[in-house]
Amino acid sequence: MQEQFEPLKNDLLLRAARGEKVERPPMWVMRQAGRYLPEYHEAKANRDFFECCRSPEIASTLTIQPIDRFEGLIDAAIIFSDILVIPQAMGMVVEMVDKKGPHFPEPLKSPTDGQYEKVMAKDVDVKGELDYVYKAISLTRLKLKGRVPLIGFCGAPWTLLCYMVEGGGSKMFVQSKTWVYKYPKESQALLQKIAEICVEYLALQVAAGAQLVQVFDSWAGELSPASFASFSLPYLRYISANLPTRLKEMGLEPVPMTVFAKGAWYALEDLCESGYNVVGLDWLHDPAEAFKVANGRVVIQGNADPGMLYGSRAAITATVERMVEGFQKGKQGWICNLGHGITPFVNPDDLKFFFEEVHRLTK
Ligand SMILES: Cc1c2[nH]c(c1CCC(=O)O)Cc1[nH]c(c(CCC(=O)O)c1C)Cc1[nH]c(c(CCC(=O)O)c1C)Cc1[nH]c(c(CCC(=O)O)c1C)C2
């Protein structure tokens, strides 16, 4: 598979992720393919969200849109897909409701509700069920012609459990909390099952052409430090420990791995020792302080508040200045990104200005 792809013309992201010294910090943004881009709406038209994910042609087109628009400014593409394709592969129905987000008609209610037993009993065919993702990755690599590396990803076990029991996004996390505090053993069994699927899924993404992988634990901040240690960290570690082994078995080289545990500021020390090359930070961290904690053990990715893109040009410049200074100009150990996904109401020209300011200030 790998032989058919053109060599990378820009490998800045991969070099920085491996901790090497670089001429400038690489950058990309989470959710860079998405609703803030008019060309996204045009290409997606009236199609269902998951229909776009399942079509390698559409998914690759959407993935490459920000690379075309911000040519020369950004250094990575991330495959257009969603973290919720794993629950789908596990047999759950997930719909994407326009302007509302994901919806599971039949969430897991309790360990004895029948749904849980069904999900736990299913022998998931990670290769077959998610074949469309691997096809989208290979097609995107072909179309990218080596312009920038392609990032693969999955949801972290804890975050996926939240969606599977809440049935969608949540503000109160009533069901997730019920599961961890009332059914800890059954929660851990489910988390382990998801973690094993994540390893296989990421390995197959690498086999298809993904050159770095990121694990999104978007709801880590809902846990206490103690419950993070029981219900999130062990499964993040399982993935980082087992993915390289699985790749080796498949005759593949290891790829850099990134963990993004949003809101888990209390766990930065643990995340620096969790077996990932890169630790993604949200905007609750002060760049200089986080950089000191990391102390060269991992590369830091992040962490501008995505909300600053609603501000004035002066506010954008000030945010970039603080990051560039805190991360010591990004000659080593920093991948520039936002602290979470870009939001749908941002003007793409303001994001472009953000990118230009990073380039100007890290020359
Ligand atoms: C990495 C990624 C994701 N989704 C999408 C991508 C595509 C690649 C990219 O980053 O450009 C497309 C992606 N996924 C979705 C969209 C919007 C679809 C549309 O309405 O057009 C896009 C472009 C839909 C989606 N999918 C999800 C939500 C959140 C709902 C909630 O608040 O709980 C939503 C709204 C779940 C989801 N999906 C994802 C996460 C982890 C990152 C994060 O925290 O933002 C999460 C939590 C990951």
Side-chain angles (χ1 to χ4, degrees):
M1 180 60 74
Q2 315 287 337
E3 305 74 53
Q4 65 187 55
F5 303 134
E6 286 184 33
L8 276 176
K9 298 180 186 89
N10 172 353
D11 65 348
L12 197 56
L13 176 82
L14 304 184
R15 285 188 281 126
R18 288 191 214 104
E20 294 172 23
K21 282 208 171 91
V22 283
E23 49 285 16
R24 64 172 176 86
M27 85 186 135
W28 65 282
V29 301
M30 292 184 271
R31 298 282 186 105
Q32 65 189 22
R35 284 179 293 178
Y36 74 107
L37 290 179
E39 57 269 36
Y40 168 80
H41 294 282
E42 206 172 298
K44 181 174 176 279
N46 292 323
R47 287 184 193 91
D48 170 69
F49 172 77
F50 285 114
E51 186 193 326
C52 297
C53 298
R54 288 199 184 95
S55 156
E57 188 53 54
I58 298 170
S60 59
T61 297
L62 297 173
T63 302
I64 296 171
Q65 282 179 344
I67 307 305
D68 287 339
R69 178 183 273 261
F70 304 114
E71 172 84 60
L73 289 171
I74 57 172
D75 304 293
I78 178 164
I79 189 65
F80 187 85
S81 182
D82 200 82
I83 61 168
L84 300 174
V85 300
I86 286 186
Q88 286 177 334
M90 294 174 83
M92 298 187 78
V93 173
V94 189
E95 298 152 358
M96 194 60 75
V97 185
D98 224 16
K99 300 199 168 64
K100 273 192 71 187
H103 173 68
F104 292 61
E106 284 187 277
L108 308 183
K109 291 208 174 71
S110 81
T112 53
D113 78 341
Q115 264 289 86
Y116 174 83
E117 285 125 320
K118 209 171 97 192
V119 163
M120 289 304 291
K122 186 173 155 90
D123 189 9
V124 178
D125 175 10
V126 182
K127 195 169 194 326
E129 295 281 350
L130 296 164
D131 190 53
Y132 63 91
V133 180
Y134 318 129
K135 287 208 167 83
I137 287 174
S138 299
L139 182 60
T140 306
R141 276 289 304 272
L142 279 176
K143 287 193 192 175
L144 275 171
K145 297 183 186 296
R147 289 163 75 191
V148 290
L150 180 61
I151 301 172
F153 71 91
C154 70
W158 161 249
T159 291
L160 293 179
L161 178 145
C162 290
Y163 280 103
M164 290 165 78
V165 304
E166 299 289 346
S170 180
K171 285 211 168 75
M172 306 270 287
F173 291 85
V174 174
Q175 304 308 326
S176 311
K177 296 303 171 82
T178 303
W179 274 79
V180 298
Y181 291 114
K182 203 180 222 170
Y183 317 122
K185 288 278 162 300
E186 291 87 350
S187 296
Q188 283 162 333
L190 176 57
L191 291 162
Q192 180 61 30
K193 183 169 176 109
I194 302 171
E196 289 167 17
I197 294 170
C198 289
V199 169
E200 190 64 15
Y201 180 44
L202 292 176
L204 289 165
Q205 290 187 46
V206 173
Q211 292 154 296
L212 179 153
V213 293
Q214 175 158 328
V215 180
F216 284 90
D217 209 354
S218 303
W219 299 127
E222 295 303 320
L223 291 163
S224 65
S227 49
F228 181 79
S230 302
F231 297 99
S232 174
L233 190 58
Y235 307 97
L236 293 173
R237 281 183 173 283
Y238 180 89
I239 296 170
S240 64
N242 287 277
L243 179 58
T245 319
R246 184 68 186 115
L247 290 174
K248 202 166 178 190
E249 276 171 14
M250 292 165 74
L252 297 166
E253 292 295 317
V255 296
M257 298 180 289
T258 300
V259 61
F260 172 62
K262 185 174 178 290
W265 57 269
Y266 52 79
L268 180 55
E269 177 60 36
D270 284 335
L271 290 166
C272 288
E273 297 291 337
S274 63
Y276 289 83
N277 308 80
V278 183
V279 172
L281 300 183
D282 59 42
W283 64 96
L284 302 183
H285 291 272
D286 173 67
E289 277 173 35
F291 211 58
K292 218 186 292 163
V293 174
N295 195 23
R297 288 177 293 174
V298 292
V299 171
I300 294 291
Q301 175 173 279
N303 74 337
D305 176 359
M308 61 85 202
L309 293 171
Y310 296 134
S312 62
R313 294 277 161 114
I316 294 174
T317 300
T319 305
V320 173
E321 278 171 348
R322 205 161 305 123
M323 273 200 305
V324 166
E325 191 185 324
F327 296 125
Q328 298 180 5
K329 288 211 144 207
K331 300 294 179 203
Q332 192 169 25
W334 181 39
I335 296 167
C336 180
N337 205 309
L338 301 177
H340 197 195
I342 186 164
T343 57
F345 313 107
V346 168
N347 179 340
D349 290 338
D350 290 329
L351 180 62
K352 187 168 182 227
F353 179 72
F354 170 80
F355 289 144
E356 287 166 347
E357 286 297 82
V358 177
H359 276 261
R360 181 175 71 82
L361 291 160
T362 55
K363 271 220 178 80

